[in-house]
Amino acid sequence: MELLPTIWFVAIAVLWTGYLFLEGFDLGVGMLMKLFARNNTDRRVLLNTIGPVWDGNEVWLLTAAGATFAAFPLWYASLFSALYLPLLCVLVALIFRAVAFEYRGKVDTERWRTTWDWAIAVGSFLAAFGIGAALALTTTGLPLDANGDRSGGPFAWFSGYALLGGFGVVAFAVVHALAFLALKTDGEVRLRARRWFVRLVPVAVLPMLAWMVAVQFLSGKAWTWVIVVAGVASVVLAWQWARNGSEGRAFAAIGAFVVCATASIFGAAFPVVIPSTMDPAFSLTISNASSSDYTLGLMSIVAAVGLPLVIAYQAWTYWVFRRRVSSAHIPEAHGFLPAIAAKVLVAKENTSPSNPGA
């Protein structure tokens, strides 16, 4: 087996793992804006837990997609062209979600906040579902012909595996967010998050677990089955530690579950990057989908320098904003007046006849 393509296959799997771990609770918190928070104060607490880190978490998505484009251009071309519509929806959802984070607090009215709350919640759901569906299909198969092109219409990708992967990531994101909120907040939100995590985690992990098992039956190996068992053990530990109030351990354990999930899924699929459901001979592998050794070698040098710096900076960010957030830290809501509007008002006041200084 070729060394550099194998290294970059593992690297891309690691990048997707990092994305699902970090952006998992991030997207989950977004969905919980409407599923969990009871009032505006709760929602502002939720937003403040991810406010300093959400955009940094999305870097993992960009890096995973960029690494796929550079290291395995045929993998990138076949996947992104076959899933053009769902990935376009993911892009639009992420844009609306990012805009909502910035715009939500600009006007102090219930209608304004509710509109952007729904943008955050729906955007988070669509992004999580679309990413999950894409990852499920790249590990279970797409209708690719001998040229690596999609066969069929724009919805030829839609299948039970797409639904399984989509709902698997959505459900995981929700419970991962509950574990994160129990670790990152204080007061009533913390207690309620821990309580709901204990209730939901045994059920919420089932779609992703089913995806893991399905891939094992398709192309699993002995060692990937062992990782599946380790993933189940991680969920049991997370549930038990959450019941005992060990929130940090519970968060780490549910994070270990997604690490086991991606390791078992990508490990079982290796060396195939996209199986063809039309004919196994049309499948894309690390050998026939990769860039040249020169490109992969140059990428390895750049990654060896840049990736540790990115990880160090993001770890520093989490350390700086490590303290818990509670409703006591939330100031009173107030409207936001754009700078240009403020200048107009000041000018009017200065020229008003009732102004003695005019």
Side-chain angles (χ1 to χ4, degrees):
M1 194 64 65
E2 299 175 359
L3 178 60
L4 285 175
T6 300
I7 291 174
W8 274 98
F9 179 87
V10 174
I12 291 171
V14 170
L15 290 171
W16 280 117
T17 302
Y19 177 73
L20 292 176
F21 186 98
L22 296 174
E23 188 83 338
F25 67 77
D26 188 333
L27 295 172
V29 168
M31 287 183 273
L32 291 176
M33 290 282 287
K34 301 304 292 186
L35 296 174
F36 175 81
R38 294 176 176 175
N39 50 51
N40 184 44
T41 301
D42 282 359
R43 294 184 180 96
R44 292 176 69 189
V45 169
L46 265 60
L47 286 176
N48 275 270
T49 62
I50 62 173
V53 298
W54 69 267
D55 47 354
N57 293 341
E58 289 188 355
V59 171
W60 290 80
L61 173 63
L62 300 175
T63 308
T68 304
F69 170 78
F72 300 97
L74 294 183
W75 181 6
Y76 179 93
S78 296
L79 182 65
F80 278 68
S81 61
L83 303 180
Y84 182 84
L85 287 179
L87 291 179
L88 178 62
C89 289
V90 169
L91 178 61
V92 173
L94 290 174
I95 291 173
F96 268 90
R97 181 173 178 266
V99 171
F101 283 143
E102 301 297 331
Y103 277 32
R104 183 188 185 274
K106 303 304 184 186
V107 178
D108 185 21
T109 65
E110 190 63 30
R111 181 178 180 181
W112 176 270
R113 286 193 295 265
T114 300
T115 300
W116 294 114
D117 287 344
W118 277 111
I120 293 172
V122 175
S124 299
F125 172 83
L126 291 177
F129 185 89
I131 293 298
L135 290 177
L137 291 172
T138 198
T139 53
T140 58
L142 284 167
L144 302 181
D145 60 20
N147 296 321
D149 298 325
R150 182 197 66 215
S151 178
F155 294 97
W157 57 270
F158 189 79
S159 66
Y161 287 126
L163 293 175
L164 189 62
F167 284 116
V169 172
V170 167
F172 167 77
V174 169
V175 292
H176 197 32
L178 289 171
F180 175 74
L181 291 175
L183 177 65
K184 195 68 174 63
T185 63
D186 211 349
E188 197 271 339
V189 171
R190 172 188 181 184
L191 298 176
R192 187 151 40 97
R194 187 171 66 200
R195 184 166 63 248
W196 277 104
F197 176 82
V198 172
R199 292 176 180 176
L200 294 179
V201 71
V203 177
V205 299
L206 291 179
M208 186 172 285
L209 183 60
W211 173 19
M212 295 165 65
V213 172
V215 174
Q216 303 312 309
F217 278 114
L218 289 173
S219 55
K221 307 166 180 67
W223 66 270
T224 57
W225 276 105
V226 173
I227 297 179
V228 172
V229 175
V232 174
S234 298
V235 174
V236 174
L237 288 174
W239 180 78
Q240 185 61 47
W241 280 330
R243 287 189 63 192
N244 296 338
S246 300
E247 294 147 344
R249 291 181 178 181
F251 177 75
I254 197 64
F257 169 71
V258 79
V259 173
C260 290
T262 53
S264 64
I265 290 169
F266 278 94
F270 181 84
V272 177
V273 294
I274 303 182
S276 172
T277 57
M278 298 181 62
D279 188 334
F282 300 158
S283 298
L284 296 178
T285 68
I286 64 168
S287 297
N288 62 22
S290 67
S291 296
S292 66
D293 285 346
Y294 176 80
T295 300
L296 295 178
L298 184 61
M299 289 174 58
S300 300
I301 296 172
V302 174
V305 175
L307 191 58
L309 294 176
V310 173
I311 293 174
Y313 175 77
Q314 194 163 21
W316 176 80
T317 303
Y318 275 92
W319 175 255
V320 170
F321 296 100
R322 66 188 181 278
R323 297 188 183 278
R324 292 181 181 269
V325 180
S326 71
S327 57
H329 300 123
I330 306 299
E332 291 294 326
H334 58 278
F336 171 81
L337 195 62
I340 188 170
K343 290 180 179 179
V344 170
L345 287 178
V346 170
K348 286 183 177 180
E349 290 178 357
N350 290 337
T351 59
S352 173
S354 61
N355 188 343

PDB file of all heavy atoms in Angstrom, residues 196-216:
ATOM      1  N   TRP A 196     -30.972  16.128  31.225  1.00  0.00           N
ATOM      2  CA  TRP A 196     -31.418  15.716  29.898  1.00  0.00           C
ATOM      3  C   TRP A 196     -30.377  14.859  29.194  1.00  0.00           C
ATOM      4  O   TRP A 196     -30.725  13.972  28.402  1.00  0.00           O
ATOM      5  CB  TRP A 196     -31.759  16.947  29.063  1.00  0.00           C
ATOM      6  CG  TRP A 196     -33.142  17.457  29.339  1.00  0.00           C
ATOM      7  CD1 TRP A 196     -33.491  18.552  30.067  1.00  0.00           C
ATOM      8  CD2 TRP A 196     -34.359  16.848  28.910  1.00  0.00           C
ATOM      9  NE1 TRP A 196     -34.855  18.673  30.122  1.00  0.00           N
ATOM     10  CE2 TRP A 196     -35.419  17.643  29.420  1.00  0.00           C
ATOM     11  CE3 TRP A 196     -34.669  15.721  28.159  1.00  0.00           C
ATOM     12  CZ2 TRP A 196     -36.757  17.335  29.184  1.00  0.00           C
ATOM     13  CZ3 TRP A 196     -35.997  15.410  27.924  1.00  0.00           C
ATOM     14  CH2 TRP A 196     -37.020  16.208  28.428  1.00  0.00           C
ATOM     15  N   PHE A 197     -29.110  15.082  29.473  1.00  0.00           N
ATOM     16  CA  PHE A 197     -28.070  14.229  28.888  1.00  0.00           C
ATOM     17  C   PHE A 197     -28.247  12.783  29.359  1.00  0.00           C
ATOM     18  O   PHE A 197     -28.192  11.848  28.554  1.00  0.00           O
ATOM     19  CB  PHE A 197     -26.687  14.736  29.287  1.00  0.00           C
ATOM     20  CG  PHE A 197     -25.556  13.859  28.815  1.00  0.00           C
ATOM     21  CD1 PHE A 197     -25.072  13.955  27.528  1.00  0.00           C
ATOM     22  CD2 PHE A 197     -24.981  12.909  29.656  1.00  0.00           C
ATOM     23  CE1 PHE A 197     -24.042  13.145  27.079  1.00  0.00           C
ATOM     24  CE2 PHE A 197     -23.954  12.100  29.227  1.00  0.00           C
ATOM     25  CZ  PHE A 197     -23.484  12.217  27.931  1.00  0.00           C
ATOM     26  N   VAL A 198     -28.468  12.607  30.650  1.00  0.00           N
ATOM     27  CA  VAL A 198     -28.645  11.258  31.199  1.00  0.00           C
ATOM     28  C   VAL A 198     -29.860  10.581  30.574  1.00  0.00           C
ATOM     29  O   VAL A 198     -29.838   9.386  30.271  1.00  0.00           O
ATOM     30  CB  VAL A 198     -28.778  11.321  32.732  1.00  0.00           C
ATOM     31  CG1 VAL A 198     -29.155   9.960  33.306  1.00  0.00           C
ATOM     32  CG2 VAL A 198     -27.484  11.825  33.358  1.00  0.00           C
ATOM     33  N   ARG A 199     -30.914  11.345  30.331  1.00  0.00           N
ATOM     34  CA  ARG A 199     -32.126  10.767  29.759  1.00  0.00           C
ATOM     35  C   ARG A 199     -31.965  10.404  28.284  1.00  0.00           C
ATOM     36  O   ARG A 199     -32.471   9.360  27.834  1.00  0.00           O
ATOM     37  CB  ARG A 199     -33.286  11.758  29.895  1.00  0.00           C
ATOM     38  CG  ARG A 199     -33.752  11.999  31.323  1.00  0.00           C
ATOM     39  CD  ARG A 199     -34.843  13.073  31.329  1.00  0.00           C
ATOM     40  NE  ARG A 199     -35.317  13.350  32.679  1.00  0.00           N
ATOM     41  CZ  ARG A 199     -36.202  14.302  32.967  1.00  0.00           C
ATOM     42  NH1 ARG A 199     -36.695  15.062  32.000  1.00  0.00           N
ATOM     43  NH2 ARG A 199     -36.587  14.488  34.216  1.00  0.00           N
ATOM     44  N   LEU A 200     -31.278  11.241  27.533  1.00  0.00           N
ATOM     45  CA  LEU A 200     -31.281  11.103  26.077  1.00  0.00           C
ATOM     46  C   LEU A 200     -30.132  10.284  25.508  1.00  0.00           C
ATOM     47  O   LEU A 200     -30.275   9.684  24.440  1.00  0.00           O
ATOM     48  CB  LEU A 200     -31.264  12.490  25.423  1.00  0.00           C
ATOM     49  CG  LEU A 200     -32.500  13.371  25.630  1.00  0.00           C
ATOM     50  CD1 LEU A 200     -32.308  14.708  24.931  1.00  0.00           C
ATOM     51  CD2 LEU A 200     -33.755  12.684  25.116  1.00  0.00           C
ATOM     52  N   VAL A 201     -28.971  10.257  26.180  1.00  0.00           N
ATOM     53  CA  VAL A 201     -27.786   9.677  25.545  1.00  0.00           C
ATOM     54  C   VAL A 201     -27.958   8.208  25.162  1.00  0.00           C
ATOM     55  O   VAL A 201     -27.455   7.798  24.091  1.00  0.00           O
ATOM     56  CB  VAL A 201     -26.533   9.891  26.429  1.00  0.00           C
ATOM     57  CG1 VAL A 201     -26.568   9.034  27.692  1.00  0.00           C
ATOM     58  CG2 VAL A 201     -25.264   9.628  25.640  1.00  0.00           C
ATOM     59  N   PRO A 202     -28.671   7.352  25.931  1.00  0.00           N
ATOM     60  CA  PRO A 202     -28.789   5.960  25.483  1.00  0.00           C
ATOM     61  C   PRO A 202     -29.531   5.810  24.160  1.00  0.00           C
ATOM     62  O   PRO A 202     -29.284   4.866  23.412  1.00  0.00           O
ATOM     63  CB  PRO A 202     -29.572   5.299  26.630  1.00  0.00           C
ATOM     64  CG  PRO A 202     -29.355   6.180  27.816  1.00  0.00           C
ATOM     65  CD  PRO A 202     -29.296   7.552  27.258  1.00  0.00           C
ATOM     66  N   VAL A 203     -30.430   6.746  23.865  1.00  0.00           N
ATOM     67  CA  VAL A 203     -31.205   6.679  22.628  1.00  0.00           C
ATOM     68  C   VAL A 203     -30.532   7.472  21.511  1.00  0.00           C
ATOM     69  O   VAL A 203     -30.515   7.044  20.350  1.00  0.00           O
ATOM     70  CB  VAL A 203     -32.638   7.205  22.855  1.00  0.00           C
ATOM     71  CG1 VAL A 203     -33.430   7.213  21.558  1.00  0.00           C
ATOM     72  CG2 VAL A 203     -33.345   6.369  23.922  1.00  0.00           C
ATOM     73  N   ALA A 204     -29.966   8.613  21.846  1.00  0.00           N
ATOM     74  CA  ALA A 204     -29.422   9.522  20.840  1.00  0.00           C
ATOM     75  C   ALA A 204     -28.232   8.933  20.092  1.00  0.00           C
ATOM     76  O   ALA A 204     -27.972   9.321  18.947  1.00  0.00           O
ATOM     77  CB  ALA A 204     -29.035  10.850  21.490  1.00  0.00           C
ATOM     78  N   VAL A 205     -27.479   8.033  20.706  1.00  0.00           N
ATOM     79  CA  VAL A 205     -26.302   7.473  20.028  1.00  0.00           C
ATOM     80  C   VAL A 205     -26.666   6.317  19.100  1.00  0.00           C
ATOM     81  O   VAL A 205     -25.809   5.847  18.338  1.00  0.00           O
ATOM     82  CB  VAL A 205     -25.250   6.985  21.059  1.00  0.00           C
ATOM     83  CG1 VAL A 205     -24.769   8.133  21.920  1.00  0.00           C
ATOM     84  CG2 VAL A 205     -25.794   5.856  21.916  1.00  0.00           C
ATOM     85  N   LEU A 206     -27.914   5.871  19.131  1.00  0.00           N
ATOM     86  CA  LEU A 206     -28.278   4.687  18.349  1.00  0.00           C
ATOM     87  C   LEU A 206     -28.130   4.878  16.838  1.00  0.00           C
ATOM     88  O   LEU A 206     -27.632   3.967  16.162  1.00  0.00           O
ATOM     89  CB  LEU A 206     -29.715   4.258  18.693  1.00  0.00           C
ATOM     90  CG  LEU A 206     -29.922   3.697  20.109  1.00  0.00           C
ATOM     91  CD1 LEU A 206     -31.385   3.325  20.324  1.00  0.00           C
ATOM     92  CD2 LEU A 206     -29.015   2.495  20.346  1.00  0.00           C
ATOM     93  N   PRO A 207     -28.548   6.023  16.247  1.00  0.00           N
ATOM     94  CA  PRO A 207     -28.344   6.159  14.795  1.00  0.00           C
ATOM     95  C   PRO A 207     -26.880   6.093  14.378  1.00  0.00           C
ATOM     96  O   PRO A 207     -26.541   5.412  13.397  1.00  0.00           O
ATOM     97  CB  PRO A 207     -28.955   7.533  14.482  1.00  0.00           C
ATOM     98  CG  PRO A 207     -29.931   7.775  15.585  1.00  0.00           C
ATOM     99  CD  PRO A 207     -29.328   7.145  16.803  1.00  0.00           C
ATOM    100  N   MET A 208     -26.003   6.765  15.115  1.00  0.00           N
ATOM    101  CA  MET A 208     -24.587   6.711  14.758  1.00  0.00           C
ATOM    102  C   MET A 208     -24.023   5.319  15.002  1.00  0.00           C
ATOM    103  O   MET A 208     -23.185   4.826  14.218  1.00  0.00           O
ATOM    104  CB  MET A 208     -23.797   7.760  15.538  1.00  0.00           C
ATOM    105  CG  MET A 208     -22.337   7.856  15.116  1.00  0.00           C
ATOM    106  SD  MET A 208     -21.423   9.246  15.840  1.00  0.00           S
ATOM    107  CE  MET A 208     -22.077  10.613  14.864  1.00  0.00           C
ATOM    108  N   LEU A 209     -24.467   4.676  16.054  1.00  0.00           N
ATOM    109  CA  LEU A 209     -24.026   3.307  16.316  1.00  0.00           C
ATOM    110  C   LEU A 209     -24.487   2.372  15.202  1.00  0.00           C
ATOM    111  O   LEU A 209     -23.735   1.485  14.771  1.00  0.00           O
ATOM    112  CB  LEU A 209     -24.561   2.838  17.670  1.00  0.00           C
ATOM    113  CG  LEU A 209     -24.142   1.446  18.129  1.00  0.00           C
ATOM    114  CD1 LEU A 209     -22.624   1.355  18.260  1.00  0.00           C
ATOM    115  CD2 LEU A 209     -24.800   1.089  19.465  1.00  0.00           C
ATOM    116  N   ALA A 210     -25.713   2.568  14.708  1.00  0.00           N
ATOM    117  CA  ALA A 210     -26.205   1.755  13.594  1.00  0.00           C
ATOM    118  C   ALA A 210     -25.378   1.989  12.337  1.00  0.00           C
ATOM    119  O   ALA A 210     -25.091   1.054  11.572  1.00  0.00           O
ATOM    120  CB  ALA A 210     -27.672   2.088  13.333  1.00  0.00           C
ATOM    121  N   TRP A 211     -24.975   3.240  12.098  1.00  0.00           N
ATOM    122  CA  TRP A 211     -24.094   3.557  10.966  1.00  0.00           C
ATOM    123  C   TRP A 211     -22.759   2.841  11.123  1.00  0.00           C
ATOM    124  O   TRP A 211     -22.246   2.240  10.162  1.00  0.00           O
ATOM    125  CB  TRP A 211     -23.937   5.074  10.906  1.00  0.00           C
ATOM    126  CG  TRP A 211     -22.943   5.611   9.927  1.00  0.00           C
ATOM    127  CD1 TRP A 211     -22.411   4.969   8.847  1.00  0.00           C
ATOM    128  CD2 TRP A 211     -22.363   6.920   9.950  1.00  0.00           C
ATOM    129  NE1 TRP A 211     -21.521   5.802   8.191  1.00  0.00           N
ATOM    130  CE2 TRP A 211     -21.480   6.998   8.841  1.00  0.00           C
ATOM    131  CE3 TRP A 211     -22.507   8.027  10.779  1.00  0.00           C
ATOM    132  CZ2 TRP A 211     -20.748   8.151   8.570  1.00  0.00           C
ATOM    133  CZ3 TRP A 211     -21.770   9.178  10.497  1.00  0.00           C
ATOM    134  CH2 TRP A 211     -20.912   9.228   9.405  1.00  0.00           C
ATOM    135  N   MET A 212     -22.196   2.859  12.319  1.00  0.00           N
ATOM    136  CA  MET A 212     -20.935   2.165  12.569  1.00  0.00           C
ATOM    137  C   MET A 212     -21.060   0.678  12.260  1.00  0.00           C
ATOM    138  O   MET A 212     -20.212   0.090  11.570  1.00  0.00           O
ATOM    139  CB  MET A 212     -20.520   2.355  14.039  1.00  0.00           C
ATOM    140  CG  MET A 212     -20.189   3.786  14.414  1.00  0.00           C
ATOM    141  SD  MET A 212     -20.134   4.036  16.224  1.00  0.00           S
ATOM    142  CE  MET A 212     -18.739   2.997  16.675  1.00  0.00           C
ATOM    143  N   VAL A 213     -22.128   0.061  12.757  1.00  0.00           N
ATOM    144  CA  VAL A 213     -22.314  -1.386  12.572  1.00  0.00           C
ATOM    145  C   VAL A 213     -22.566  -1.712  11.102  1.00  0.00           C
ATOM    146  O   VAL A 213     -22.057  -2.714  10.572  1.00  0.00           O
ATOM    147  CB  VAL A 213     -23.461  -1.880  13.457  1.00  0.00           C
ATOM    148  CG1 VAL A 213     -23.797  -3.338  13.148  1.00  0.00           C
ATOM    149  CG2 VAL A 213     -23.106  -1.721  14.933  1.00  0.00           C
ATOM    150  N   ALA A 214     -23.339  -0.858  10.411  1.00  0.00           N
ATOM    151  CA  ALA A 214     -23.622  -1.098   8.997  1.00  0.00           C
ATOM    152  C   ALA A 214     -22.342  -1.118   8.173  1.00  0.00           C
ATOM    153  O   ALA A 214     -22.149  -1.982   7.302  1.00  0.00           O
ATOM    154  CB  ALA A 214     -24.575  -0.024   8.475  1.00  0.00           C
ATOM    155  N   VAL A 215     -21.449  -0.179   8.442  1.00  0.00           N
ATOM    156  CA  VAL A 215     -20.179  -0.136   7.711  1.00  0.00           C
ATOM    157  C   VAL A 215     -19.337  -1.369   8.034  1.00  0.00           C
ATOM    158  O   VAL A 215     -18.635  -1.904   7.159  1.00  0.00           O
ATOM    159  CB  VAL A 215     -19.415   1.166   8.030  1.00  0.00           C
ATOM    160  CG1 VAL A 215     -18.032   1.153   7.382  1.00  0.00           C
ATOM    161  CG2 VAL A 215     -20.197   2.380   7.562  1.00  0.00           C
ATOM    162  N   GLN A 216     -19.418  -1.833   9.267  1.00  0.00           N
ATOM    163  CA  GLN A 216     -18.650  -3.032   9.629  1.00  0.00           C
ATOM    164  C   GLN A 216     -19.133  -4.249   8.846  1.00  0.00           C
ATOM    165  O   GLN A 216     -18.326  -5.075   8.388  1.00  0.00           O
ATOM    166  CB  GLN A 216     -18.763  -3.315  11.136  1.00  0.00           C
ATOM    167  CG  GLN A 216     -18.326  -2.180  12.036  1.00  0.00           C
ATOM    168  CD  GLN A 216     -16.990  -1.591  11.656  1.00  0.00           C
ATOM    169  OE1 GLN A 216     -16.008  -2.309  11.484  1.00  0.00           O
ATOM    170  NE2 GLN A 216     -16.963  -0.263  11.517  1.00  0.00           N
TER     171      GLN A 216
END
